[in-house]
Amino acid sequence: MASFKKTVVILFVSATLAFVPIRSQAIVPLIAGWLLEITYGSILISDIVAGMTGSISAILWYECNKFGSINTSVCNNKPPSMPAAQAPKPAITVSLKPDAKRENPDPKKFSDPAPGSGKRDVTPKPIIAASGKGPPSSAQGIPGVPVGPGDIGVLTQAPRESNVGAAGVDPAIQIAQYNGSVARGGPVTGIEVVPQKTPAQPKAIPFIAIHTTCAAKTDCLAPLRATENYLGQFNGYKYINTAAIECCSGTMRYVSIAYLYDQATNVTLVCDPGYVDRGQDISGNYQCGLTDATKVKKPADTTCEVLFDPASKAFMTDKANPACDGLTDTTDLTLTSQDGSQSIEVGANAGDGFDISITKSDGSKTGLDTGVYDPGTGGYVIVHVNITPPEKPDNGLGCGGPGQSACSVEFARDDATSVKSSDTNAANRTADTGMKGKLDAISSSQFNWSFIPSIPTAACKNPSLKSPIGNVTVSMDICVWFDRLSFFINAVLGVLCVYGCVNQIQSAIRD
């Protein structure tokens, strides 16, 4: 019976302690002593359990500390790593680097500066994709259009005010329809894009065309009637447009067109300012061609980027960025924080560097003078710092400022406001009696006791040192090295524990 109880206790403690070391991270030596007491000094049993527990603890501790992003319950001694919140996009940025380039807000519309060109801003691409929905590339497959006759694709009318909104009255379209009919020797289909009055979008109207040739005008009546009757079956025998295309040497030639208005669709293709419609490419995609680069604008949510021009010693704004509207090029740049707590003035100095003045709301100023731009360090080296304290740091009190004595407050003694000691003692005794009664009424069963010891931990904080040159603090980054040292020490302790357990097991087996 005793052996069965001992086995149950060992199994329970072993399962429990597989989780405990991960919580405490330094409890493995205590586990060994614990097991010795539980197993009544059985070195072999306790060492086996301690060795297994120590090994599991070392492996899991390494994973939890090495890969801190693992979000499991055994690793809850470290907060799960969460993606950093995306910083809000600044409204304006200023770059003092003479070779800084502006970001490309839309690679589909703008090209980056070519290497070695000396350009620092993007340029509009000569051809971009049109926005919206274009007309079908063919009439084949459109409901109501017969499949089989030759197709002549898309024909676009000239946007003349006289024929806006009408189909079949553009001579160029009629000639194309006739030539297509003659070339294919029979009916042809196509799409005619008809401009509409602004702001309405153009219409894409499918059509079917057939040409008719007559030896003389008087002989064309019957052939034309037969052609129109044939076309009428495709548009419900509605109006058929017939026009004479050419006549010479007494020969008359006509083209009859049946428009399928009930199959017309809107064309919503648009081009950005500075671009015009350039039709389709070889793949059938509709395009826009660049005509005026000065009208091309960047997206409205693009940060206004101000660049310094070393040639003119000026800060250049972005004329193509709507976010820069209202700003002008300037040689002295002044920026004020949104809350008005400080302002910054930047200007080029005679030494090809910058004079930077930072003014706070209390009137204090910090001046920075830099040398020339150093490509090796990626910035300008500060060669001089000038700190000006507020005009009245003591607020006119004559004390408490730099080099002044501390301020003090004196007040007249008022005996009437003092409390007698006897009254105070009586009140304290009454409070003590009441508190003792409340404590005695608390039952011990209301406390939750745990046999697992808690080892306190502390988070590392980087110290800050005050600079002797003024009201400036310098932060020292030591936590990264502290964390690495802590990791190394815990790893060594885990390895030594496992090594000691193995040696004890071997010794117990030999004995």
Side-chain angles (χ1 to χ4, degrees), residues 120-188:
R120 306 173 62 187
D121 200 2
V122 297
T123 54
K125 291 188 174 182
I127 298 292
I128 62 174
S131 303
K133 178 183 177 182
S137 59
S138 171
Q140 298 294 317
I142 296 178
V145 177
V147 178
D151 192 279
I152 58 176
V154 178
L155 304 174
T156 303
Q157 287 192 5
R160 301 188 189 96
E161 188 65 25
S162 59
N163 61 20
V164 165
V169 296
D170 190 331
I173 297 295
Q174 291 177 342
I175 292 174
Q177 293 166 341
Y178 171 74
N179 291 339
S181 301
V182 173
R184 288 161 176 78
V188 296

Side-chain angles (χ1 to χ4, degrees), residues 248-465:
C248 54
S249 303
T251 301
M252 300 299 298
R253 297 180 179 179
Y254 297 85
V255 60
S256 299
I257 306 101
Y259 289 97
L260 282 65
Y261 291 103
D262 57 336
Q263 301 296 331
T265 58
N266 289 330
V267 177
T268 59
L269 283 178
V270 294
C271 291
D272 294 345
Y275 289 87
V276 295
D277 182 16
R278 286 292 173 84
Q280 297 172 275
D281 60 10
I282 58 176
S283 300
N285 301 313
Y286 292 91
Q287 299 177 318
C288 297
L290 180 66
T291 57
D292 189 350
T294 61
K295 296 182 180 179
V296 180
K297 298 296 182 180
K298 295 179 180 178
D301 60 345
T302 305
T303 297
C304 177
E305 299 172 282
V306 178
L307 302 182
F308 176 73
D309 181 19
S312 61
K313 303 287 186 181
F315 297 94
M316 312 299 292
T317 60
D318 188 358
K319 303 299 187 298
N321 191 346
C324 294
D325 291 347
L327 301 179
T328 57
D329 300 344
T330 179
T331 55
D332 297 314
L333 185 65
T334 301
L335 300 174
T336 303
S337 61
Q338 187 174 6
D339 58 0
S341 61
Q342 62 181 1
S343 62
I344 301 176
E345 297 179 4
V346 183
N349 57 31
D352 291 332
F354 291 94
D355 294 332
I356 304 174
S357 177
I358 304 174
T359 303
K360 296 184 178 180
S361 58
D362 60 359
S364 62
K365 295 184 178 181
T366 301
L368 304 174
D369 298 334
T370 74
V372 298
Y373 174 69
D374 183 6
T377 60
Y380 294 86
V381 179
I382 298 177
V383 297
H384 182 257
V385 178
N386 183 28
I387 299 177
T388 304
E391 296 181 0
K392 293 181 179 181
D394 58 355
N395 294 322
L397 298 177
C399 62
Q404 297 176 342
S405 60
C407 296
S408 60
V409 180
E410 296 182 1
F411 58 92
R413 180 181 177 87
D414 188 359
D415 292 336
T417 60
S418 61
V419 182
K420 295 181 180 180
S421 60
S422 59
D423 296 339
T424 302
N425 293 334
N428 290 340
R429 285 193 297 270
T430 301
D432 292 342
T433 302
M435 182 61 67
K436 184 176 184 301
K438 293 179 180 180
L439 293 175
D440 293 341
I442 297 177
S443 173
S444 61
S445 62
Q446 292 179 281
F447 292 94
N448 293 324
W449 302 95
S450 174
F451 67 91
I452 301 177
S454 176
I455 297 181
T457 59
C460 177
K461 294 183 178 180
N462 289 320
S464 298
L465 300 179

